[in-house]
């Protein structure tokens, strides 16, 4: 038996090496005329490499373990346009070795009760990098939908101008556990909930941005329902999103949300311009913990609204929200545990590319907040400025 282990290890290494050596690159359109034909010809470990251009295809079915990639790896190289003839890509029972890289996915349409106009994952855990979902439509998940125990990993992905007839304008997740890093949701729309993203289940988002998304009812930026075990948002920005409840984020029914170093600015809702926590069942409350966060300048609604739910804040700045800052359930947390209500002094027009970065004399800058360190998702990005009285009209204009 002592001689068997080295033999088995050597055999495993040899098999792995052989598999790598047999991996093929299939070029579209040189080797195969269409993307689907390239995928059909591929096996696990192969790469389907697509030349730059626009490809008018729909209902493309991925294979487990292959890589679908543009020749440059950039989203502006290859566009797959379904021309509203169907969904763009379907990914079923695909392993975590399945990769989609450097594509723009557009023109997908799966209306009515359909899921994922741009991409639908079922029992799949693909990795998406440098992918743009734009102008896709579906009943749930205009840009992308993920369900049935999927665990997709998204990095440097953009969702823009996608629409959902029901929920999840940009992305819809039900019973899945997505991981998102540097993902942007902008100008997406859902009729019911989750203008940018709808999530039922666990999710981890890092460095993500939600702006100008809207939902008619809940969660202009993001809607979370029954988030087991929890939703984690770190270094995320929510700006200029709108809904009836939860302009930035709405968490409902037993969702445990953790927000760390996030900035929510200029969002709007009747209930909870920044965040709305609610539940129809007092035995299943939604709870949120906010650490080193900014909620500022909500054009309507309180910074945080709680209904049969609760929030715990530490080292957080709530300021200038149209419906009030430290009000309701969280009123008694003002002035303790590093919580404050001070103008965060965003750079704004001084640096349009980083408008939520801080002036050097901001109370949220680490130099001016030694006990808490940096508050919000953005560091110092512009020099000190005199603190001036600013009208509500000027403040609102920042978020248009």
């Amino acid at each position: 038996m002592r001689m068997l282990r080295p033999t088995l290890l050597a055999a495993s290494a040899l098999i792995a090496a052989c598999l790598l050596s047999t991996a093929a690159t299939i070029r579209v359109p040189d080797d195969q005329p269409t993307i689907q034909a390239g995928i059909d010809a591929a096996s696990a470990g192969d790469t389907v490499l697509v030349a730059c251009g626009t490809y008018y295809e729909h209902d493309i079915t991925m294979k487990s373990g292959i890589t679908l990639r543009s020749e440059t790896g950039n989203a502006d190289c290859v566009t797959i346009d379904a021309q509203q003839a169907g969904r763009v890509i379907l990914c079923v029972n695909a392993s975590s070795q399945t990769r989609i890289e450097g594509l723009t996915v557009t023109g997908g349409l799966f209306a009515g009760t359909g899921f994922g106009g741009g991409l639908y994952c079922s029992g799949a855990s693909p990795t998406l990098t440098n992918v743009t979902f734009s102008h896709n439509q579906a009943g749930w998940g205009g840009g992308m939908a993920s369900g049935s125990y999927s665990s997709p990993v998204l990095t440097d992905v953009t969702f823009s101008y996608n629409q959902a007839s029901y929920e999840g304008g940009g992305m819809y997740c039900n019973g899945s556990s997505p991981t998102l890093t540097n993902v942007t949701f902008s100008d997406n729309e859902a009729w019911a909930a989750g203008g940018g993203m709808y999530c039922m289940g666990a999710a981890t988002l890092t460095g993500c941005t939600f702006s100008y998304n809207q939902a008619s009812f809940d969660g202009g930026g993001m809607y979370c329902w029954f988030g087991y075990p929890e939703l984690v948002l770190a270094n995320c920005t929510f700006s200029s999103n709108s809904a009836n409840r939860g302009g930035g984020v709405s968490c409902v029914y037993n969702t445990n949300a953790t927000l760390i170093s996030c900035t929510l600015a200029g969002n709007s809702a009747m209930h909870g311009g920044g965040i709305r926590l609610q539940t129809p069942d007092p035995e299943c409350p939604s709870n949120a913990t906010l650490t080193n966060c900014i909620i500022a300048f909500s054009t309507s609604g309180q910074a945080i609204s709680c209904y049969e739910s609760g929030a715990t804040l530490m080292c957080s700045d709530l300021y200038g929200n149209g419906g009030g800052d430290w009000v309701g359930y969280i009123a008694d947390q003002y002035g303790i545990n590093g919580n404050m209500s001070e103008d965060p002094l965003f750079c704004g027009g001084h640096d349009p590319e980083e408008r939520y970065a801080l002036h050097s004399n901001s109370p949220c800058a680490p130099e001016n907040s030694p006990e808490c360190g940096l508050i919000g998702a953005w560091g110092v990005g512009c020099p000190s400025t005199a603190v001036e009285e600013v009208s509500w009209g000027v403040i609102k204009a920042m978020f248009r």
Side-chain angles (χ1 to χ4, degrees):
M1 291 298 294
R2 291 181 179 178
M3 295 298 293
L4 186 58
R5 176 178 288 274
T7 303
L8 289 174
L9 290 174
S12 298
L14 180 61
I15 291 171
C18 290
L19 288 174
L20 289 173
S21 66
T22 58
T25 297
I26 300 167
R27 297 180 180 275
V28 176
D30 290 348
D31 300 326
Q32 295 293 336
T34 65
I35 293 172
Q36 185 64 74
I39 293 171
D40 292 343
S43 300
D46 291 350
T47 296
V48 177
L49 193 66
V50 186
C52 292
T54 300
Y55 297 79
Y56 298 102
E57 301 185 44
H58 60 88
D59 297 299
I60 295 170
T61 302
M62 286 288 291
K63 277 186 180 179
S64 180
I66 73 164
T67 295
L68 174 61
R69 185 178 187 273
S70 70
E71 62 181 349
T72 67
N74 298 320
D76 60 359
C77 172
V78 168
T79 296
I80 308 176
D81 187 349
Q83 297 183 296
Q84 289 77 48
R87 178 190 290 126
V88 184
I89 301 174
L90 175 65
C91 193
V92 178
N93 298 329
S95 71
S96 58
Q97 283 70 49
T98 308
R99 305 184 65 86
I100 300 174
E101 302 175 356
L103 305 174
T104 292
V105 176
T106 189
L109 175 63
F110 206 129
T113 58
F115 292 87
L119 169 66
Y120 179 50
C121 296
S122 178
S125 301
T127 296
L128 280 65
T129 307
N130 293 330
V131 177
T132 294
F133 294 90
S134 182
H135 296 282
N136 301 286
Q137 300 177 49
W140 286 270
M144 173 181 175
S146 173
S148 301
Y149 306 103
S150 297
S151 299
V153 177
L154 283 66
T155 303
D156 297 323
V157 172
T158 296
F159 293 88
S160 63
Y161 298 100
N162 301 286
Q163 294 183 336
S165 304
Y166 300 102
E167 297 162 333
M171 184 176 183
Y172 175 89
C173 302
N174 187 341
S176 64
S177 303
T179 300
L180 282 65
T181 304
N182 296 332
V183 174
T184 298
F185 295 85
S186 65
D187 297 284
N188 301 287
E189 182 177 354
W191 177 76
M197 181 179 182
Y198 177 105
C199 184
M200 188 180 79
T204 301
L205 285 74
T206 304
C208 296
T209 300
F210 293 75
S211 60
Y212 298 100
N213 303 287
Q214 59 181 317
S216 298
F217 296 100
D218 271 297
M222 185 175 189
Y223 178 88
C224 313
W225 187 81
F226 207 71
Y228 52 90
E230 67 176 12
L231 166 72
V232 178
L233 301 171
N235 299 104
C236 293
T237 302
F238 291 80
S239 66
S240 303
N241 304 286
S242 62
N244 182 53
R245 293 171 295 209
V249 180
S250 182
C251 295
V252 180
Y253 200 79
N254 203 33
T255 295
N256 294 310
T258 300
L259 284 75
I260 304 168
S261 299
C262 292
T263 294
L264 296 88
N267 302 288
S268 65
M270 288 184 63
H271 306 283
I275 298 173
R276 168 71 166 170
L277 303 169
Q278 58 185 318
T279 181
D281 184 352
E283 295 185 1
C284 298
S286 292
N287 296 286
T289 300
L290 285 75
T291 305
N292 291 75
C293 292
I294 297 173
I295 305 179
F297 305 123
S298 298
T299 56
S300 65
Q302 317 93 313
I304 300 175
S305 173
C306 300
Y307 177 75
E308 300 289 356
S309 299
T312 302
L313 293 90
M314 294 166 285
C315 290
S316 292
D317 184 16
L318 278 52
Y319 178 83
N321 297 283
D325 301 318
W326 297 94
V327 295
Y329 180 91
I330 63 170
D332 61 354
Q333 298 184 53
Y334 171 62
I336 64 172
N337 296 324
N339 295 323
M340 61 181 172
S341 185
E342 301 285 344
D343 188 339
L345 296 180
F346 294 133
C347 289
H350 291 280
D351 189 349
E353 295 299 318
E354 296 187 354
R355 64 189 308 174
Y356 303 109
L358 307 173
H359 282 282
S360 58
N361 60 337
S362 166
C364 299
E367 295 80 3
N368 305 320
S369 177
E371 294 184 0
C372 293
L374 176 64
I375 299 174
W378 298 77
V380 173
C382 49
S384 62
T385 182
V387 178
E388 299 178 358
E389 184 176 351
V390 181
S391 69
W392 273 109
V394 172
I395 291 172
K396 290 179 180 180
M398 285 181 58
F399 304 104
R400 289 174 182 161

